[in-house]
Every structure is written in C-alpha cells, then in structure tokens.
Amino acid sequence: MAAAAAAVLRSGSRAAGRLICVCHTRSYSSVRLLKSKYVYAFDKSAFFNHQHRLFRTSAVSDGQIVQFKLSDIGEGITEVTVKEWYVKEGDSVSQFDSICEVQSDKASVTITSRYDGIIRKLYYNLDEIAYVGKPLVDIETDVLKDVAPEEDVVETPAVSHEEHTHQEIKGHKTLATPAVRRLAMENNIKLSEVVGTGKDNRILKEDILNYLAKQTGAILPPSPKSEIIPPLPKLETAPTTPKDKAHTIPVPISKPIVFTGKDKIEPITGFHKAMVKTMSAALKIPHFGYCDEIELNQLVQLREELKPLAQARGVKLSFMPFFIKAASLALLHYPVLNTSVDENCQNITYKASHNIGIAMDTEQGLIVPNVKSVQVRSVFEIASELNRLQSLGSSGQLGTNDLTGGTFTLSNIGTIGGTYAKPVILPPEVAIGALGKMQVLPRFNRKGEVFKAQIMNVSWSADHRIIDGATMARFSNLWKSYLENPASMLLDLK
Amino acid sequence: MKNMVIRASLKNWFQLFYVHKFPAAGFKTTADGAIILQSVSNDIYQNLAVEDWIHDNMNLENRQVLYLWRNSPTVVIGRHQNPWQECNLKMMRQKNIKLARRRSGGGTVYHDLGNINLTFFTSKKKYERMENLKLVVKALKCLRPQLDVHATDRCDLLLNRNFKISGTAAKLGRTAYHHCTLLCSADRFLLSSVLKSPYKGIKSNATPSVPASVKNLFEEDPTLTCQIVMDAIAAEYAICHQIDHHVTLINPTDETVFPGINNKTKELQTWEWIYGKTPKFSISTCFSMVYKHSFLEVKVDMDVKHGRIEVCNINLPEEWLPPALCGELEKNLIGSKFCRSEMTALASALLRSCPQDYEVHRRWNLLYENMTTTLM
C-alpha cells in the first residue's frame, strides 16, 4: 500500500544553511524501492539575491536506499553482539565514518560506512545479536554508484597504493582526501565541478576555497579592481590629466573565510548545577568589600626558620597555616564574622567552632574543604591537616565531612595570580577573604628609607546585613598586625 | 649522534607507511616484511596510544608489526566492560593503581612490570589469533623445552594445563590487531584481590570477565625474566617472518615519529573514555546505618548511562531527613557523573543552600558517606 509522505528533512551537521525539502512516495512492501523524489534545494546566496533562482532541482535527483550488510569478520565468525551505535536514524554519514561497534569473542570491531548518505534504519538494538551477511543499516545515498558485491566492510584508504580516496560521480573519477570531500559537502559543492590543481588533477583544499570565491563573486557587485588606474611611469613627459589624480586605492580581494566550527550546547548538570544553586543563594546576600595590603617580611623569615622543623616531622609548611591561625585569633575578638543567619535573616547563630575553609581548585572545579576547630589547633597541627586535605583533594577522595560545616573561608587565589579580588561569600557563612599573590615592591620604612617589601593584598567581602564596615576594618587590622609582627601572635595564642 | 640517526631512519620508515599525510612519492616502494617494536615507556596510556596510532596511521596491507610493552601497576578493562563490576576501585585508589580502558574487547587484566604485553598487527585478511599464540608457545618451548604450555580454544595460554598465564583480546577496524598478556613475574596476590569487585547489585549487559587461576612463568622456572621471554618471542617472530632479530625501541611521546600521538594519549585518560564508555547499567543496593543506637535500612536505586546518573531513588525511613532535602539530593544527582569526587562535591555544595541544622547535617553526611562507600 503506497503512501505519500511529505517530509521536511534537515540533514545533520554536514550541510549548514541548506534545507532539503523531500516529497516522495514509497511502497511499504519493499523498502528499497523509491517511486519518485523531488529534491528542492536552495542555495543561501541565491535566495537572497536572485528571487527567481529560488528553486533549483539538483542534477542527481533519485536517491536510493541501500541495505548495508554486515560483512565477514574473519575466523569463521557468524554472529556478533552490537555494543554501541555511533549513529541514529536520520543522521548523515560519509564513507569511512564509524557506524557501530560490535563484539565477538574478545574482538571488538568497528564497522564503518561504505557509502555517503543518510541513515534510514537500524536493524538492531544494543546488545542484540547481529548476523554476518544480514542487513545492519539502511543508508539512503544520493549518489549513483556501482554497488559493489559484498566485500570487506572497511574499505581502507590504504588498499590501493594511492593514499587518497576515489569517488565515482557520474563515471567521472575525482581524487580528493576525505577532509576535502567533507569541506565540499558542507559547502554544497559538487566535486565534479571543481578544477583540481594537485597531482593527477587532484582536488586540494585551495581549489575548494577558490571555487567558493568564484561562486560568491558572481553575485557580488563588480569588484573595485576594474576601477584601478595603473600609475603612470615617472618618465612620462605628457601632461597628467585630472583623471589620473583620482586614483582609487586597490582593494585586495580576500578569500572568503571558511569556518566550519559549530556552537555546542550542553546541559548544566552535576556539580556545576549545585554551584549555580549556591551562587544564586549567595546573590541574595548584600556584599561589601574591604581591601588592604600586608607587609610580610617578618613572616617570610619566620617561615624559613620553621620550614625544616616541620619537614623533620613530615609536614610541608606553607604560609596558609599562619593566615588561618591569625584569622582564628582575630575571630575571637570579632565573633560576629563567624556567624550564620537563617533564611529570613531573623536569627543569627554565633558558631562556637572556627571551621576555616580553604578554597581549592580541582578537576571538578572549586571545592572548599575546611579545617575544623582552628581555635584549639596549633599552627603545626593546622599545617598537617592542610597537607591531608590537599592530598585527598588532588586524588578526588575528600569526604562530605571535610567539605561541609565551614564557618569562614580564605581563598588563596594568589597562588594562581592576581592582587585584589572580589570574592563571593559562600552561604551559610557571612564573610570571606581572598589573598592575592606575594610581590616584592619598594616601600618606605619608618626612617623614610626605601626597602624591599614582601607585599600581599587581601580582599574581604562580608554580609552587610549584619556586619558593618568598621567591624570588618578592625578585624582586618588585627589579622594584619598578627601577620606583620608574628611575635605578637605569641601573646594571644590559645 | 647515533641516536639521532636511528631516530631519523625510524621516522623515514614510518613515513613510508603513512596513509594520509605524505605525497605519493614515498609510496612507490612497498617492501613486504615485518618489524618488531618495543616501548621504553611504562605508562599504560602512552602504550595504548601507540596501538591506536599504528592502527590509524600505518599501511599494513603487506606489513606486520610485533609490539612489546610493559606497564606500571594498572588494571585494564575491555572496551565494553563495567569497571565497577570488574575491579575494586577503592583499593586501586588507595594503592595508586591506574585504571585504563582499551579499545579491544575481552575481559579485565592486571598489569605490572612482571607482565609482558604483545600486540600483533596485521591486515584484516591476515588476522589469525591462534597462529600468533602458537608462535608464543613455540618461543617458550624453544627457551625451556620442559615447559608445559599450550593454547586453548578460548585463546588463553595455560601452564601445566591448569593455570592461565595469558589472556587475549583483539580489535578490528581499519586494520587488525591481536594482543595478549603473559605473566612472568607479576604480583599474583595483588592481582586476585584487585580484580574482585566489592560492589553488589549491579545489573548490566557489559561483557563480564571469566575469572581463572593464574600463575607466573617465574614460579615454574626462576630463571625466566621478562627480558629473556621478550627476546625469545622476538626471535621466534623474526624467524617466522624472515627478518633480522632486531628490536626497535620506541618512545611513545615522540611526536616527530608518531605525529598526533599525544592527543591519543590524552583521550585515553579522559573520564569520558574510561568511565563514560561503560554500557548502561543499573545499581540497586541496600545498606544499614547506625545512628544514635538505632539501625536504619536504606535502599538506593540508580540507573547510569554514559557514566552519568539518569535515575536516582533513595529510600529512607520516614522523616529521618526532611523529605524535601532527600528529594533535592536525588534531583541534583541526576546528570552528575557516577564518580565519587563529583558526587561528593555536589552533595556538599547542596547542603549550603539548605536550612542550617547541625542534626540535619550530621544525618546528611552519614547517609551520603554510607551510600558512596557501598556504591563505589
């Protein structure tokens, strides 16, 4: 029972900007038979410039459905399991594109297409058994080819001594590499119409680009080239005519830039989706910023002295343990910075423990493990805990206990770069500090002399609903004084 | 200087068999023959990339290649296998054992420096696995005539009729290759513990591995080292193919000899390849948690496709966690990679936008930790 079906098809990523309108009648009793088919194709440039050239039937109008059979795999194997499909119905494929992956007895086989065309039917679902010699897919080709009898499925480009592929188009052999053929197809160019300038009239990429240039050139207004008046030779004694003075500057004709990249759309899932949620919640917090500059000469010296001691105990000592401990000491004087507010900002919770989070850059993105109860830990203990978190973080083994429960965060973005930053508070916290990179800069000391100062910048952000600028400034000053004069930390150490 | 000369001539040799890049001038001579290559690297991804490179770039119509390689401790799964079903990922993480997915089919194997890998490259017409294995058996027997080694019809090699010393896999595409392992002096005990998956409740159509008792050649004859065995196999191959017994050392990171290989190495290391290529599977498991002197039964069901969670159901005792919270976790896990670090980062980040309650946090963390320990 024949049924007329009009379908508008959009061929896949291959032909951008080209719409094929297909009306065809098809007899359902035989999938291979196509009664008639009209192909309407409009060229993009033609559409915009010459209305009467809207419809153009292509020279080759009859496509046919070809049954692509699974050919012999070798070793007497008669059946395989289909493990993965690389195409789906409606996709367009080129010769040598991978169609599917099948497996038989420890051998994984990639089946590639023998034809260019559009996939019309997949005969098997995943994990079904496919039989050698039986149809695997139906491909609708729009090129009349001699369909070779069942031979090796994968026509390797290396079979003949020529390393390029042949394509028979209307009995005319055109030599071109697969990449060139793809470029031609994407720009809707028939290879038979392109003059090849390579060896044996091989079509090169430049030939395609030149062909394209000629095509668009035919529609554009005449080039300014014809208006260029050649400059007169200097020895000419005849009087110059006024016309010569009006030289038009030759405009170089540039080759049209062919860019075949495409935008890629991906859904936001997993960890990134959670980040979107967190940051959207952070947006509700009115942030204010406060920045300052810290001179770390004394701390640098102290760390140099303490580094070998820590190393002897198996711990790597960076600057962070000092920054963290100093923050905790300062929080003891300004506990409002170690709080949390509820949903409607009606209650404020003063957190007893200083769980200071350290922003870490990993494969997933930004994660913030925290050091618990910094207020009762020594600098050495903080350093060893940091080592543990860092090694777990780099191997992707951090647990939720380490990643939750933070009350205050420090972000050492300076290890990557930057001076001042505008950090975003991580709810449910109320404050965050970003540390810039350490630089050696000239500064004046108390005697008015210039000296080499180890300068680091800090940028604080705080929740202005419950924290005011003065509090933040005083906290920062205290933190800064501990770091600029580490001996003073000793006085307040708990 | 000598090194450069050898390198240059190797590069020219490869150029003769380039398919796509080089003009026809170099193609006129196609001498028949074979070549033996040995990798200087012990990195599984680099060594697998060499196989990919040869498969994609060499003209093997009239040519054959034997490729010898060894790796630092790694578990290698077949193209269509499920790593959660095949090995103990947690133990591997703790012992720093890598995981790789190869492009050929077959089952899971454990590699270390005591294991030799042999890859036989041929054209598809000359693809013959049993012939290759017979060559290996012949080489071993030449070396030690009293060795009882034979090939089975499953393409395994057995020692003393009972112990598997070699597994086989193959890939057919543009050309064909057949590779197999050979246990000389590998860590047998680590092998059996790491190839046992502790994860229950996985239902999938991935290719399952067939466990077997294994033994090292070294245990049969302590004088057999990897180097001696590799030399013997190379010698036998040379005789079979009537070439000089000359083994060419190759560096899998050298772009001048293998243009484009570093991209192949990178691709083999991506999460999308190693985990994302796992065929669709579902995991259904129960576990109990202890919380404040009471036992709680939790049931988790997940469907994972392309390595990402498609369906997620967590069944908890009523009201143990605010139901909205549990729903949030389920909803956000959908689309996430079935990967411990991503899921942990996700679950922790989610907690930030939830009402802050110490009790709730504790329960949430407990649930999550138990879940991931059981699942992965």
Side-chain angles (χ1 to χ4, degrees):
Chain A
M1 177 66 183
V8 175
L9 292 162
R10 205 163 12 109
S11 63
S13 57
R14 305 266 161 240
R18 181 187 175 202
L19 216 61
I20 308 173
C21 205
V22 177
C23 303
H24 62 267
T25 53
R26 206 158 73 151
S27 160
Y28 277 67
S29 53
S30 162
V31 180
R32 260 192 273 190
L33 226 57
L34 264 172
K35 291 269 164 73
S36 61
K37 182 174 155 189
Y38 302 99
V39 177
Y40 300 84
F42 36 98
D43 203 11
K44 197 159 71 154
S45 48
F47 180 77
F48 290 116
N49 289 287
H50 298 275
Q51 291 293 316
H52 63 274
R53 278 179 64 193
L54 207 62
F55 293 103
R56 163 164 70 89
T57 50
S58 84
V60 181
S61 56
D62 278 299
Q64 59 179 65
I65 301 262
V66 175
Q67 268 190 349
F68 178 43
K69 298 196 178 135
L70 180 61
S71 77
D72 187 27
I73 306 245
E75 290 186 334
I77 291 167
T78 51
E79 42 184 69
V80 296
T81 314
V82 177
K83 286 310 238 180
E84 190 171 339
W85 282 110
Y86 295 122
V87 296
K88 53 187 191 297
E89 290 174 13
D91 282 352
S92 63
V93 290
S94 309
Q95 196 180 15
F96 307 123
D97 279 355
S98 298
I99 289 199
C100 66
E101 195 81 19
V102 300
Q103 183 170 251
S104 105
D105 185 31
K106 308 187 206 181
S108 186
V109 190
T110 310
I111 309 290
T112 58
S113 176
R114 244 193 310 160
Y115 313 105
D116 296 335
I118 300 171
I119 302 282
R120 285 287 169 238
K121 181 173 174 175
L122 305 180
Y123 280 80
Y124 301 102
N125 291 322
L126 283 179
D127 293 318
E128 280 187 350
I129 311 256
Y131 296 93
V132 171
K134 295 275 172 18
L136 188 66
V137 293
D138 281 346
I139 300 181
E140 181 184 317
T141 63
D142 52 20
V143 169
L144 287 171
K145 253 202 217 184
D146 290 317
V147 179
E150 265 71 65
E151 48 183 67
D152 214 38
V153 165
V154 177
E155 284 285 337
T156 71
V159 170
S160 61
H161 288 307
E162 312 259 5
E163 70 278 19
H164 298 291
T165 58
H166 296 350
Q167 188 176 10
E168 298 228 18
I169 302 170
K170 293 184 278 195
H172 174 77
K173 246 188 195 165
T174 24
L175 298 175
T177 62
V180 170
R181 283 183 31 248
R182 191 157 301 168
L183 185 62
M185 183 152 57
E186 282 175 342
N187 288 285
N188 194 22
I189 294 172
K190 289 239 162 326
L191 281 175
S192 50
E193 291 169 22
V194 180
V195 175
T197 58
K199 192 180 175 223
D200 294 338
N201 290 327
R202 191 159 292 145
I203 298 175
L204 307 173
K205 189 174 167 195
E206 288 69 37
D207 301 325
I208 304 277
L209 294 177
N210 284 332
Y211 181 82
L212 268 172
K214 268 189 255 154
Q215 266 205 330
T216 49
I219 300 156
L220 287 171
S223 68
K225 218 177 193 175
S226 54
E227 287 173 18
I228 296 168
I229 300 158
L232 289 169
K234 283 198 183 135
L235 291 170
E236 177 110 358
T237 50
T240 54
T241 58
K243 191 172 112 179
D244 296 319
K245 295 232 166 95
H247 278 203
T248 48
I249 300 157
V251 176
I253 307 254
S254 55
K255 285 198 186 138
I257 297 167
V258 180
F259 176 62
T260 51
K262 302 244 173 355
D263 288 348
K264 195 167 104 162
I265 300 179
E266 275 178 3
I268 296 179
T269 55
F271 177 60
H272 295 289
K273 203 156 119 182
M275 271 299 271
V276 169
K277 263 190 129 202
T278 311
M279 288 299 129
S280 303
L283 202 60
K284 295 189 199 134
I285 304 173
H287 286 52
F288 78 90
Y290 177 88
C291 304
D292 205 349
E293 168 184 295
I294 315 199
E295 192 225 291
L296 294 174
N297 289 42
Q298 292 193 31
L299 187 65
V300 169
Q301 204 179 356
L302 180 65
R303 179 178 162 257
E304 281 308 304
E305 288 170 33
L306 294 176
K307 224 166 63 167
L309 283 175
Q311 199 64 53
R313 296 191 210 168
V315 165
K316 198 166 151 233
L317 186 68
S318 64
F319 286 103
M320 278 311 274
F322 297 101
F323 297 151
I324 295 169
K325 189 59 184 174
S328 171
L329 290 175
L331 283 174
L332 289 172
H333 292 269
Y334 300 97
V336 73
L337 287 156
N338 195 53
T339 58
S340 184
V341 282
D342 61 8
E343 192 84 0
N344 301 315
C345 221
Q346 283 181 340
N347 291 305
I348 179 169
T349 313
Y350 285 84
K351 300 276 178 177
S353 199
H354 300 166
N355 299 338
I356 300 190
I358 313 298
M360 231 183 244
D361 180 41
T362 61
E363 271 173 21
Q364 273 75 44
L366 170 72
I367 55 169
V368 191
N370 57 80
V371 178
K372 302 273 194 296
S373 301
V374 176
Q375 74 277 10
V376 295
R377 292 192 198 242
S378 66
V379 172
F380 176 76
E381 283 165 353
I382 297 168
S384 92
E385 178 66 3
L386 266 183
N387 278 189
R388 181 187 77 91
L389 291 173
Q390 269 151 359
S391 77
L392 284 180
S394 52
S395 58
Q397 289 184 53
L398 282 168
T400 43
N401 273 319
D402 289 324
L403 289 171
T404 56
T407 59
F408 185 87
T409 301
L410 284 177
S411 169
N412 195 1
I413 192 75
T415 47
I416 301 175
T419 49
Y420 293 105
K422 195 175 170 227
V424 177
I425 299 170
L426 295 167
E429 297 165 23
V430 295
I432 184 170
L435 310 170
K437 65 177 187 275
M438 281 220 278
Q439 305 170 281
V440 180
L441 296 170
R443 290 286 181 270
F444 288 105
N445 63 14
R446 258 182 251 114
K447 293 186 217 158
E449 295 161 340
V450 176
F451 73 101
K452 266 165 116 176
Q454 302 265 18
I455 302 288
M456 183 186 77
N457 300 308
V458 62
S459 311
W460 303 103
S461 288
D463 184 339
H464 216 332
R465 295 173 296 182
I466 46 162
I467 298 172
D468 57 41
T471 311
M472 192 73 239
R474 291 196 187 105
F475 168 84
S476 179
N477 286 342
L478 184 55
W479 182 76
K480 174 172 156 160
S481 72
Y482 282 138
L483 293 170
E484 290 191 334
N485 185 10
S488 64
M489 268 170 82
L490 264 176
L491 267 181
D492 293 340
L493 219 51
K494 282 194 202 275
Chain B
M1 184 60 201
K2 193 176 172 198
N3 213 352
M4 277 171 59
V5 169
I6 292 171
R7 214 145 130 276
S9 60
L10 182 66
K11 180 173 153 189
N12 291 336
W13 194 92
F14 277 128
Q15 282 177 3
L16 281 178
F17 302 99
Y18 246 115
V19 172
H20 299 298
K21 311 277 177 174
F22 290 86
F27 254 81
K28 294 289 173 1
T29 49
T30 44
D32 281 355
I35 187 171
I36 306 172
L37 303 174
Q38 188 172 322
S39 175
V40 302
S41 163
N42 293 326
D43 179 282
I44 180 72
Y45 308 110
Q46 291 174 4
N47 289 329
L48 284 175
V50 173
E51 286 186 330
D52 282 354
W53 192 94
I54 297 177
H55 174 269
D56 289 350
N57 291 298
M58 277 183 81
N59 177 2
L60 293 166
E61 267 314 292
N62 296 309
R63 200 103 202 161
Q64 303 202 27
V65 182
L66 171 65
Y67 171 45
L68 302 160
W69 40 298
R70 290 189 292 154
N71 302 309
S72 55
T74 314
V75 169
V76 182
I77 57 175
R79 173 72 173 81
H80 307 289
Q81 290 202 295
N82 180 327
W84 291 278
Q85 259 184 328
E86 297 297 333
C87 50
N88 190 334
L89 292 171
K90 189 166 172 190
M91 187 190 289
M92 285 163 64
R93 273 195 294 264
Q94 286 164 348
K95 292 190 187 285
N96 254 322
I97 299 175
K98 296 187 210 171
L99 176 67
R101 181 187 296 268
R102 57 180 192 265
R103 293 194 193 268
S104 56
T108 303
V109 284
Y110 170 78
H111 290 187
D112 65 21
L113 290 171
N115 168 68
I116 302 171
N117 298 298
L118 313 160
T119 312
F120 298 87
F121 288 92
T122 59
S123 66
K124 285 171 65 148
K125 293 199 178 70
K126 299 221 179 79
Y127 166 69
E128 245 302 354
R129 293 183 289 182
M130 280 312 278
E131 286 303 308
N132 298 333
L133 291 172
K134 283 192 191 138
L135 191 155
V136 176
V137 171
K138 186 155 174 236
L140 290 173
K141 286 218 155 89
C142 267
L143 202 55
R144 302 280 185 271
Q146 73 280 14
L147 221 50
D148 177 5
V149 190
H150 79 280
T152 67
D153 48 17
R154 269 197 83 237
C155 290
D156 290 339
L157 287 184
L158 294 183
L159 178 65
N160 298 340
R161 309 268 130 187
N162 273 321
F163 300 102
K164 185 169 168 178
I165 55 167
S166 163
T168 266
K171 170 102 193 91
L172 293 105
R174 241 198 85 235
T175 58
Y177 61 81
H178 158 222
H179 53 202
C180 57
T181 56
L182 192 56
L183 289 172
C184 285
S185 52
D187 186 338
R188 224 179 357 113
F189 302 103
L190 187 55
L191 185 156
S192 30
S193 45
V194 106
L195 291 183
K196 219 178 277 165
S197 164
Y199 312 115
K200 311 266 183 291
I202 299 179
K203 261 205 230 113
S204 98
N205 282 325
T207 316
S209 291
V210 177
S213 307
V214 296
K215 200 171 182 188
N216 283 303
L217 284 171
F218 169 84
E219 292 171 68
E220 192 66 15
D221 181 342
T223 62
L224 285 174
T225 64
C226 283
Q227 196 54 56
I228 290 175
V229 176
M230 284 198 288
D231 283 343
I233 294 173
E236 187 60 41
Y237 188 84
I239 294 170
C240 271
H241 292 87
Q242 293 155 1
I243 54 169
D244 291 333
H245 177 185
H246 172 67
V247 177
T248 309
L249 294 177
I250 55 163
N251 178 354
T253 57
D254 192 344
E255 284 273 335
T256 59
V257 179
F258 303 104
I261 196 170
N262 286 309
N263 278 337
K264 293 190 189 291
T265 310
K266 270 197 213 108
E267 202 201 317
L268 287 164
Q269 290 175 39
T270 59
W271 191 92
E272 276 67 32
W273 174 257
I274 300 178
Y275 296 97
K277 281 292 180 185
T278 307
K280 181 169 172 180
F281 67 97
S282 68
I283 183 161
S284 179
T285 179
C286 287
F287 57 88
S288 36
M289 304 191 299
V290 181
Y291 186 71
K292 287 186 179 171
H293 311 293
S294 58
F295 269 102
L296 299 137
E297 283 288 320
V298 183
K299 189 166 183 302
V300 177
D301 295 288
M302 283 193 195
D303 281 356
V304 180
K305 187 172 168 188
H306 299 317
R308 287 181 187 265
I309 301 173
E310 270 199 335
V311 171
C312 178
N313 283 314
I314 304 173
N315 282 320
L316 287 168
E318 205 131 332
E319 301 301 320
W320 192 72
L321 261 188
L325 209 57
C326 197
E328 271 300 297
L329 182 60
E330 286 172 336
K331 199 175 77 176
N332 279 285
L333 279 175
I334 293 175
S336 159
K337 285 184 191 163
F338 188 67
C339 154
R340 200 205 154 89
S341 48
E342 167 130 349
M343 286 164 66
T344 307
L346 190 159
S348 315
L350 271 182
L351 214 51
R352 288 187 183 277
S353 32
C354 294
Q356 299 305 299
D357 179 332
Y358 179 66
E359 187 63 25
V360 167
H361 277 219
R362 261 186 80 187
R363 294 183 183 201
W364 172 282
N365 285 342
L366 184 68
L367 167 67
Y368 182 80
E369 287 299 326
N370 273 286
M371 200 169 83
T372 46
T373 313
T374 318
L375 288 176
M376 46 185 47

